[in-house]
Amino acid sequence: MNTSTVRGRSAAGSVALWLDLQDTVPEGARLSELSAMSAAGTIAGAGLGPDTGVAAARQVCEALQTVVVALPPSLAGRVDRTNQVVALPANDAGVAAMEALLARDLPVHLATCFSARRYEQAAAAYLSALTRARAEGRDLAALASTVAFGLRPLDLRVDALLDRAGGEEAKALRGTAALLAARLARRASARIFDPRTSSAWEPLAAAGARPLRLVWTELGDLAPAAGAQTDYASELADAETALAVPAESLDTAAGLRPRPARSDRGLAAQAQHFEACLRWFGIRTEEVVRELEGEPVACAATPPGRALVAGGVS
């Protein structure tokens, strides 16, 4: 089956969900339910963890055959299913490998991004690869890729540094970093992948290319108690992105509906003010992001034509 016809599709009026399976693969009736949900457009894709076995990964790919399944590099060369995509770390090495894999007709899932800057770097690599593919007459829709954007870890780290700084001013900034970074990434996506305003994207969209889709991940509790933590899901749910949730939270998440479009007026000024406040406390978000991304890793030995970078899946 050509999964390019259903990449990015979601059920009308609903939020697209990304199934975060990690290393636990549902079986029997539950897997059949997930298969039906993917066919109906409720599930936009899925990701598996590095300890998933080959047989289990094939089972998931076959059950969710209408959507993409992101596999860690250790599995990517062994599962051999048409709807598999390669999961790479969202760091310098992963972005570089992304362009190389797309040149080999292998779509990519980058995990996990924590800044709009990193998303823009991935988008630039994506545009470059698609432009080359268009010149070569290749199917652009089949190269549709995704970027997982992590929320909770960014807030946890920044909030811990603010707590260390102490004081009411620092306390007032808690719970701000992740949603602000996510909104900046979403704005960048809207700007880069709008054929009406992007001269680079317009010919690619006309040729069937799909935007580099954002998948909001590491959301924490989908129904947090009052004041417990930020309700990322309800803040970010929209028709153009997807929410990564574990299988046990699908029923809760399936009830979410896209929120009305939020104006980005003043977003840049808000971001600059937030960064200035953090710097006053000696906190630099670029250093936090580098810490969360981890160090780039070297390319591993792989089968011919599969230049993969070792890394985990969101």
Side-chain angles (χ1 to χ4, degrees):
M1 173 181 182
N2 183 4
T3 59
S4 66
T5 59
V6 293
R7 291 175 192 268
R9 184 189 67 179
S10 60
S14 66
V15 173
L17 303 178
W18 178 275
L19 187 59
D20 187 3
L21 290 175
Q22 287 298 313
D23 306 313
T24 303
V25 177
E27 298 179 352
R30 185 53 173 162
L31 193 60
S32 297
E33 291 176 6
L34 298 179
S35 177
M37 293 177 73
S38 68
T42 302
I43 297 176
L48 296 175
D51 295 329
T52 306
V54 173
R58 287 174 178 163
Q59 185 180 29
V60 172
C61 286
E62 290 163 3
L64 307 182
Q65 58 184 297
T66 58
V67 300
V68 296
V69 178
L71 306 179
S74 59
L75 288 177
R78 302 158 62 197
V79 172
D80 191 26
R81 292 296 182 268
T82 58
N83 58 330
Q84 72 179 54
V85 300
V86 183
L88 300 173
N91 53 27
D92 289 337
V95 171
M98 175 185 189
E99 190 166 354
L101 290 181
L102 289 169
R104 293 170 171 79
D105 288 328
L106 293 170
V108 168
H109 176 70
L110 284 184
T112 300
C113 171
F114 295 99
S115 72
R117 177 178 174 273
R118 180 63 78 191
Y119 175 80
E120 290 180 9
Q121 290 174 339
Y126 186 60
L127 288 176
S128 177
L130 291 184
T131 299
R132 188 176 302 112
R134 176 174 175 263
E136 295 169 356
R138 292 189 280 136
D139 180 8
L140 302 190
L143 298 178
S145 297
T146 49
V147 173
F149 197 104
L151 279 299
R152 190 70 179 144
L154 182 57
D155 267 345
L156 286 174
R157 182 56 182 151
V158 172
D159 288 357
L161 294 173
L162 289 169
D163 289 343
R164 185 183 302 172
E168 290 302 314
E169 295 87 352
K171 184 178 180 181
L173 298 174
R174 297 181 85 259
T176 303
L179 279 177
L180 188 55
R183 290 180 63 200
L184 288 169
R186 184 164 56 187
R187 185 182 69 166
S189 178
R191 170 177 53 82
I192 295 168
F193 297 107
D194 186 344
R196 298 168 299 179
T197 58
S198 172
S199 59
W201 179 244
E202 190 277 333
L204 298 175
R210 299 180 185 276
L212 183 62
R213 190 173 200 173
L214 280 161
V215 179
W216 310 119
T217 188
E218 302 196 65
L219 302 170
D221 191 343
L222 290 179
Q229 64 184 49
T230 305
D231 188 356
Y232 303 115
S234 63
E235 286 289 329
L236 295 171
D238 63 33
E240 303 303 321
T241 61
L243 298 176
V245 296
E248 60 269 21
S249 299
L250 273 176
D251 293 338
T252 299
L256 292 170
R257 292 293 177 265
R259 62 171 296 135
R262 173 186 289 186
S263 172
D264 282 334
R265 179 176 297 179
L267 180 60
Q270 182 183 353
Q272 290 173 359
H273 176 71
F274 179 69
E275 291 291 336
C277 291
L278 290 182
R279 285 195 298 272
W280 193 84
F281 289 109
I283 303 169
R284 296 186 177 275
T285 53
E286 62 270 23
E287 295 177 358
V288 173
V289 167
R290 283 200 298 269
E291 177 187 339
L292 292 172
E293 286 181 345
E295 293 297 323
V297 295
C299 291
T302 58
R306 294 182 180 271
L308 307 181
V309 171
V313 179
S314 161

